[in-house]
Amino acid sequence: MTRSTERPAVTTPPTTGLDEAGALRHQLADQLAAAGHIRTPAVDKALRTVPRHAFAPEVPPQKAYANDIVATCHSDDGRITSSISAPWLQADMLEAARIQPGHRVLEIGSGGYNAALIAELVGPTGGVTTLDIDPGVTDRATRYLAQTGYDRVRVVTADAEHLPVDIVPDGGFDAILVTVDTWDLPWIDALANGGRLVAPLRLHQYTWAIGFTKHDGALHSDEPLIVCGFVAIQGAGAWDTNRRTVPGAGVHLSWEDGTPLPADQLAPALTREPFVAHTHVTVGGQQPFDALTLYLAGALPGFCRLSVDPDGDNRVQNPPPKHWPGAAIVRGPSLARLATERISDGDDGNGVYELVVHGYGPHAHLAAQEMTEQVQHWQHNHRAALCPRITIHPLADDGPTPATDDPHVYVKKHTYVTIDWPIIPGTAALLTDDKGRYLLHLRSANKPIWRPGQWALLGGNTERGETCDEAIVRELDEEIGLAIPDLTGFVTLDTLSANGSFKDRVRVYHGTLNTPAHEIELCEGIQLRWTHIEETAEMTMDPGTAAVLHAHHNAHHPPGSRDRTLPVVEVRETRDQRTRNIIGTHLVLIRDGAVLLGKRHPSSAFAPSTWHLPAGHREDMESAVTCMVREAEEETGLRIAEHDLSLVHVLDLLDPGSTIPRVGLFFAPSRWEGEPLVREPECCTEWRWWPLDVLPEPIVEYTRVALDAISRGALYTPMGWS
């Protein structure tokens, strides 16, 4: 929820003469106000008034007023089934509910104390109803509310999944607070239009306290999300984690908001060390990255949560904490999960960690790379942006289930949830001189950066907490070491995909500079150049930069300002109908009924410690047979003439989770010279002849498929397309 930097305009009552409980109550309120959880005088007064210890007589006052939960009911197996929530979270949720005197408020999940706080906020003209499924909880709440003078609160024993009709006021409740961990929000109809609903909502086992406002029959979040934990809802609304267990591995996978996938096939994958993909994205030891995991849940098909048996041999390197399952995806017999590696102590001593992805199984590198790319996408496009916006729509009783082409849509029992991830606005500087020229920047062609090898404007993305105005000043200082005093907003540049969907946004600033390019110290990139508009047609240029230059050249109005809405320049990416393929060549060397296979190095990026044919990718403009001859000599030392090679099989392969097909060409030589040697020990540790009917384990799966097809005389095999 929104944090204010100002303390509430209240006068703290003196604590002299108070009993111990009263002094502790004011001390707790002071603590919550100082931390920003209390932000209004009304909430401050309520927390200083309601005797929290009276609702938790089982514990001493010091514990009742600690900034922590107080468990009040347990199940037979020891689980907490009811509790008084942590004061900081109660304050945050009460502030988010925006309760006013005279409001009618429903609390789902009773206990008494929070209902008494709400009663203080609504005053004598308002109404409070607190509801719980457990009669033991409601009996307790009724008793303690009466003892503390809040007997005007209505206490109801019922299953919240189906609210009793007679408790909903005409026009609906002005606010609904849910104080149990809930998977769905079936209470939209019970809320007044414009009313507030605050609830700890579960999405893929992640729970956030979210404040919503009802408009046009739907709930719209408008404040930051708060990671939290609550007692699970009971009754008809209880959620199913859809958990599957990997046999013999001590590993469990849960698809709470997705379709469960088989897990038995993953057992062999977890017997080996993982493939580790580095994201180069870092977090501090005390810095949460829960927004990333929520993003991954939508961005990665088949997303699940991974947990391990804490006391067993779970075979998972750097396992996730007991109460915080890890983010994971399953790709057939392979699995990838998000993990961390400590890389330094950090300035605060709490450590700096890199987010890494561990991949397991025959396609470990592909699954890990898929997750890594999404982590990097979040880092570059969403991390410093505003919090995601969540909208909850009710499902029509007799209507169709909404289409879920958008990956960030979750269909639940009563509602469907959409999550909008704001894009970080990038910044760019359109610098001109008195001769009408533009300062352009040649980007490196040999780095994995945006628009490599192209001429572009100076600039870059905003960083966490920065405005665009601040970001462009920082970027120019970092890139050319200069401050441009007259920077003003010029246009907003939007990049659209080939089908017209939004992809990226950059705020372009205009400024003047009359320094020769050779006198400017370029700290990033290759070269600076002052360029006339006529010269740009002969340059390899970023399309967005070209669009901005022409917009400026053709403009009939002065440059923009920081205060007005900027005109928008749109540039659409070109549509490429061609499918790009990776071409690989494979040597099928058979002698006396045995085929030559190599065991790949344990740290190999592809198929570590797995048997495979001599193989490689085509380079530059070489033909497939030239590639095969080259790879055979580089890997094995064998000398083969191109005219001695025959094509014996074509494998048309689509790896799980990949969007780039692979075409494998398998060549058999009629003759060769030499004996196989290990020429690339960093890739292959040994060569060995294996009988075709007794192939080794583990072996690359598509190698097995191809050898089987070759033995049957089949020339073509599609694999992975179904």
Side-chain angles (χ1 to χ4, degrees), residues 215-233:
H215 291 300
D216 300 324
L219 300 176
H220 304 268
S221 74
D222 51 9
E223 292 186 338
L225 318 182
I226 299 177
V227 177
C228 62
F230 276 87
V231 171
I233 197 168

PDB file of all heavy atoms in Angstrom, residues 215-233:
ATOM      1  N   HIS A 215     -15.164  -0.814  -9.545  1.00  0.00           N
ATOM      2  CA  HIS A 215     -15.689   0.062 -10.592  1.00  0.00           C
ATOM      3  C   HIS A 215     -16.231  -0.815 -11.715  1.00  0.00           C
ATOM      4  O   HIS A 215     -15.571  -1.787 -12.126  1.00  0.00           O
ATOM      5  CB  HIS A 215     -14.607   0.994 -11.160  1.00  0.00           C
ATOM      6  CG  HIS A 215     -14.139   2.047 -10.212  1.00  0.00           C
ATOM      7  ND1 HIS A 215     -14.991   2.988  -9.673  1.00  0.00           N
ATOM      8  CD2 HIS A 215     -12.906   2.317  -9.709  1.00  0.00           C
ATOM      9  CE1 HIS A 215     -14.297   3.790  -8.878  1.00  0.00           C
ATOM     10  NE2 HIS A 215     -13.038   3.394  -8.882  1.00  0.00           N
ATOM     11  N   ASP A 216     -17.419  -0.480 -12.195  1.00  0.00           N
ATOM     12  CA  ASP A 216     -18.010  -1.180 -13.346  1.00  0.00           C
ATOM     13  C   ASP A 216     -18.039  -2.695 -13.142  1.00  0.00           C
ATOM     14  O   ASP A 216     -17.764  -3.468 -14.062  1.00  0.00           O
ATOM     15  CB  ASP A 216     -17.239  -0.835 -14.625  1.00  0.00           C
ATOM     16  CG  ASP A 216     -17.257   0.652 -14.929  1.00  0.00           C
ATOM     17  OD1 ASP A 216     -18.300   1.291 -14.664  1.00  0.00           O
ATOM     18  OD2 ASP A 216     -16.230   1.173 -15.407  1.00  0.00           O
ATOM     19  N   GLY A 217     -18.333  -3.098 -11.929  1.00  0.00           N
ATOM     20  CA  GLY A 217     -18.500  -4.516 -11.645  1.00  0.00           C
ATOM     21  C   GLY A 217     -17.224  -5.303 -11.481  1.00  0.00           C
ATOM     22  O   GLY A 217     -17.265  -6.539 -11.333  1.00  0.00           O
ATOM     23  N   ALA A 218     -16.062  -4.650 -11.492  1.00  0.00           N
ATOM     24  CA  ALA A 218     -14.784  -5.348 -11.332  1.00  0.00           C
ATOM     25  C   ALA A 218     -13.955  -4.670 -10.252  1.00  0.00           C
ATOM     26  O   ALA A 218     -14.202  -3.516  -9.870  1.00  0.00           O
ATOM     27  CB  ALA A 218     -14.017  -5.373 -12.651  1.00  0.00           C
ATOM     28  N   LEU A 219     -12.951  -5.389  -9.752  1.00  0.00           N
ATOM     29  CA  LEU A 219     -12.047  -4.867  -8.736  1.00  0.00           C
ATOM     30  C   LEU A 219     -10.746  -4.436  -9.395  1.00  0.00           C
ATOM     31  O   LEU A 219     -10.162  -5.185 -10.188  1.00  0.00           O
ATOM     32  CB  LEU A 219     -11.762  -5.932  -7.674  1.00  0.00           C
ATOM     33  CG  LEU A 219     -12.964  -6.479  -6.904  1.00  0.00           C
ATOM     34  CD1 LEU A 219     -12.515  -7.604  -5.970  1.00  0.00           C
ATOM     35  CD2 LEU A 219     -13.656  -5.371  -6.114  1.00  0.00           C
ATOM     36  N   HIS A 220     -10.274  -3.241  -9.025  1.00  0.00           N
ATOM     37  CA  HIS A 220      -9.057  -2.695  -9.629  1.00  0.00           C
ATOM     38  C   HIS A 220      -8.074  -2.326  -8.521  1.00  0.00           C
ATOM     39  O   HIS A 220      -8.392  -1.518  -7.649  1.00  0.00           O
ATOM     40  CB  HIS A 220      -9.382  -1.457 -10.463  1.00  0.00           C
ATOM     41  CG  HIS A 220     -10.412  -1.690 -11.523  1.00  0.00           C
ATOM     42  ND1 HIS A 220     -10.087  -2.059 -12.812  1.00  0.00           N
ATOM     43  CD2 HIS A 220     -11.772  -1.634 -11.479  1.00  0.00           C
ATOM     44  CE1 HIS A 220     -11.195  -2.206 -13.521  1.00  0.00           C
ATOM     45  NE2 HIS A 220     -12.230  -1.953 -12.737  1.00  0.00           N
ATOM     46  N   SER A 221      -6.881  -2.904  -8.571  1.00  0.00           N
ATOM     47  CA  SER A 221      -5.867  -2.549  -7.573  1.00  0.00           C
ATOM     48  C   SER A 221      -5.257  -1.208  -7.927  1.00  0.00           C
ATOM     49  O   SER A 221      -5.117  -0.863  -9.100  1.00  0.00           O
ATOM     50  CB  SER A 221      -4.774  -3.621  -7.512  1.00  0.00           C
ATOM     51  OG  SER A 221      -3.918  -3.546  -8.633  1.00  0.00           O
ATOM     52  N   ASP A 222      -4.891  -0.443  -6.912  1.00  0.00           N
ATOM     53  CA  ASP A 222      -4.317   0.870  -7.171  1.00  0.00           C
ATOM     54  C   ASP A 222      -3.236   1.229  -6.164  1.00  0.00           C
ATOM     55  O   ASP A 222      -2.898   2.392  -5.993  1.00  0.00           O
ATOM     56  CB  ASP A 222      -5.403   1.950  -7.172  1.00  0.00           C
ATOM     57  CG  ASP A 222      -6.281   1.903  -5.923  1.00  0.00           C
ATOM     58  OD1 ASP A 222      -5.935   1.148  -4.991  1.00  0.00           O
ATOM     59  OD2 ASP A 222      -7.304   2.600  -5.888  1.00  0.00           O
ATOM     60  N   GLU A 223      -2.689   0.214  -5.492  1.00  0.00           N
ATOM     61  CA  GLU A 223      -1.630   0.460  -4.524  1.00  0.00           C
ATOM     62  C   GLU A 223      -0.616  -0.670  -4.625  1.00  0.00           C
ATOM     63  O   GLU A 223      -0.920  -1.746  -5.153  1.00  0.00           O
ATOM     64  CB  GLU A 223      -2.194   0.518  -3.100  1.00  0.00           C
ATOM     65  CG  GLU A 223      -3.088   1.732  -2.852  1.00  0.00           C
ATOM     66  CD  GLU A 223      -3.501   1.840  -1.397  1.00  0.00           C
ATOM     67  OE1 GLU A 223      -3.472   0.820  -0.705  1.00  0.00           O
ATOM     68  OE2 GLU A 223      -3.852   2.946  -0.976  1.00  0.00           O
ATOM     69  N   PRO A 224       0.598  -0.461  -4.114  1.00  0.00           N
ATOM     70  CA  PRO A 224       1.576  -1.546  -4.118  1.00  0.00           C
ATOM     71  C   PRO A 224       1.075  -2.774  -3.374  1.00  0.00           C
ATOM     72  O   PRO A 224       0.232  -2.691  -2.480  1.00  0.00           O
ATOM     73  CB  PRO A 224       2.785  -0.919  -3.406  1.00  0.00           C
ATOM     74  CG  PRO A 224       2.627   0.549  -3.627  1.00  0.00           C
ATOM     75  CD  PRO A 224       1.153   0.803  -3.619  1.00  0.00           C
ATOM     76  N   LEU A 225       1.611  -3.937  -3.760  1.00  0.00           N
ATOM     77  CA  LEU A 225       1.234  -5.204  -3.143  1.00  0.00           C
ATOM     78  C   LEU A 225       2.145  -5.475  -1.952  1.00  0.00           C
ATOM     79  O   LEU A 225       3.320  -5.132  -1.962  1.00  0.00           O
ATOM     80  CB  LEU A 225       1.362  -6.338  -4.162  1.00  0.00           C
ATOM     81  CG  LEU A 225       0.870  -6.049  -5.589  1.00  0.00           C
ATOM     82  CD1 LEU A 225       1.032  -7.309  -6.449  1.00  0.00           C
ATOM     83  CD2 LEU A 225      -0.560  -5.574  -5.589  1.00  0.00           C
ATOM     84  N   ILE A 226       1.596  -6.140  -0.938  1.00  0.00           N
ATOM     85  CA  ILE A 226       2.365  -6.450   0.266  1.00  0.00           C
ATOM     86  C   ILE A 226       2.431  -7.959   0.424  1.00  0.00           C
ATOM     87  O   ILE A 226       1.399  -8.637   0.528  1.00  0.00           O
ATOM     88  CB  ILE A 226       1.726  -5.831   1.519  1.00  0.00           C
ATOM     89  CG1 ILE A 226       1.679  -4.307   1.400  1.00  0.00           C
ATOM     90  CG2 ILE A 226       2.498  -6.235   2.767  1.00  0.00           C
ATOM     91  CD1 ILE A 226       1.003  -3.637   2.572  1.00  0.00           C
ATOM     92  N   VAL A 227       3.629  -8.504   0.416  1.00  0.00           N
ATOM     93  CA  VAL A 227       3.793  -9.934   0.662  1.00  0.00           C
ATOM     94  C   VAL A 227       3.389 -10.225   2.098  1.00  0.00           C
ATOM     95  O   VAL A 227       3.778  -9.520   3.028  1.00  0.00           O
ATOM     96  CB  VAL A 227       5.254 -10.362   0.433  1.00  0.00           C
ATOM     97  CG1 VAL A 227       5.438 -11.832   0.760  1.00  0.00           C
ATOM     98  CG2 VAL A 227       5.660 -10.096  -1.006  1.00  0.00           C
ATOM     99  N   CYS A 228       2.610 -11.265   2.283  1.00  0.00           N
ATOM    100  CA  CYS A 228       2.128 -11.546   3.634  1.00  0.00           C
ATOM    101  C   CYS A 228       1.774 -13.026   3.753  1.00  0.00           C
ATOM    102  O   CYS A 228       1.838 -13.787   2.789  1.00  0.00           O
ATOM    103  CB  CYS A 228       0.902 -10.688   3.958  1.00  0.00           C
ATOM    104  SG  CYS A 228      -0.514 -11.001   2.886  1.00  0.00           S
ATOM    105  N   GLY A 229       1.407 -13.420   4.951  1.00  0.00           N
ATOM    106  CA  GLY A 229       0.947 -14.774   5.206  1.00  0.00           C
ATOM    107  C   GLY A 229      -0.217 -14.750   6.175  1.00  0.00           C
ATOM    108  O   GLY A 229      -0.202 -13.981   7.147  1.00  0.00           O
ATOM    109  N   PHE A 230      -1.246 -15.539   5.904  1.00  0.00           N
ATOM    110  CA  PHE A 230      -2.421 -15.620   6.761  1.00  0.00           C
ATOM    111  C   PHE A 230      -2.811 -17.085   6.937  1.00  0.00           C
ATOM    112  O   PHE A 230      -2.396 -17.954   6.166  1.00  0.00           O
ATOM    113  CB  PHE A 230      -3.607 -14.867   6.130  1.00  0.00           C
ATOM    114  CG  PHE A 230      -3.630 -13.390   6.393  1.00  0.00           C
ATOM    115  CD1 PHE A 230      -2.949 -12.516   5.574  1.00  0.00           C
ATOM    116  CD2 PHE A 230      -4.343 -12.877   7.465  1.00  0.00           C
ATOM    117  CE1 PHE A 230      -2.975 -11.154   5.799  1.00  0.00           C
ATOM    118  CE2 PHE A 230      -4.381 -11.515   7.708  1.00  0.00           C
ATOM    119  CZ  PHE A 230      -3.691 -10.655   6.878  1.00  0.00           C
ATOM    120  N   VAL A 231      -3.642 -17.332   7.922  1.00  0.00           N
ATOM    121  CA  VAL A 231      -4.248 -18.652   8.081  1.00  0.00           C
ATOM    122  C   VAL A 231      -5.100 -18.939   6.851  1.00  0.00           C
ATOM    123  O   VAL A 231      -5.803 -18.062   6.344  1.00  0.00           O
ATOM    124  CB  VAL A 231      -5.100 -18.697   9.363  1.00  0.00           C
ATOM    125  CG1 VAL A 231      -5.903 -19.982   9.433  1.00  0.00           C
ATOM    126  CG2 VAL A 231      -4.209 -18.534  10.596  1.00  0.00           C
ATOM    127  N   ALA A 232      -5.043 -20.160   6.355  1.00  0.00           N
ATOM    128  CA  ALA A 232      -5.756 -20.520   5.128  1.00  0.00           C
ATOM    129  C   ALA A 232      -7.263 -20.518   5.341  1.00  0.00           C
ATOM    130  O   ALA A 232      -7.771 -20.910   6.399  1.00  0.00           O
ATOM    131  CB  ALA A 232      -5.308 -21.903   4.657  1.00  0.00           C
ATOM    132  N   ILE A 233      -7.983 -20.065   4.313  1.00  0.00           N
ATOM    133  CA  ILE A 233      -9.436 -20.098   4.357  1.00  0.00           C
ATOM    134  C   ILE A 233      -9.919 -21.545   4.404  1.00  0.00           C
ATOM    135  O   ILE A 233      -9.296 -22.449   3.828  1.00  0.00           O
ATOM    136  CB  ILE A 233     -10.032 -19.352   3.144  1.00  0.00           C
ATOM    137  CG1 ILE A 233     -11.503 -19.020   3.385  1.00  0.00           C
ATOM    138  CG2 ILE A 233      -9.851 -20.156   1.857  1.00  0.00           C
ATOM    139  CD1 ILE A 233     -12.076 -18.041   2.357  1.00  0.00           C
TER     140      ILE A 233
END
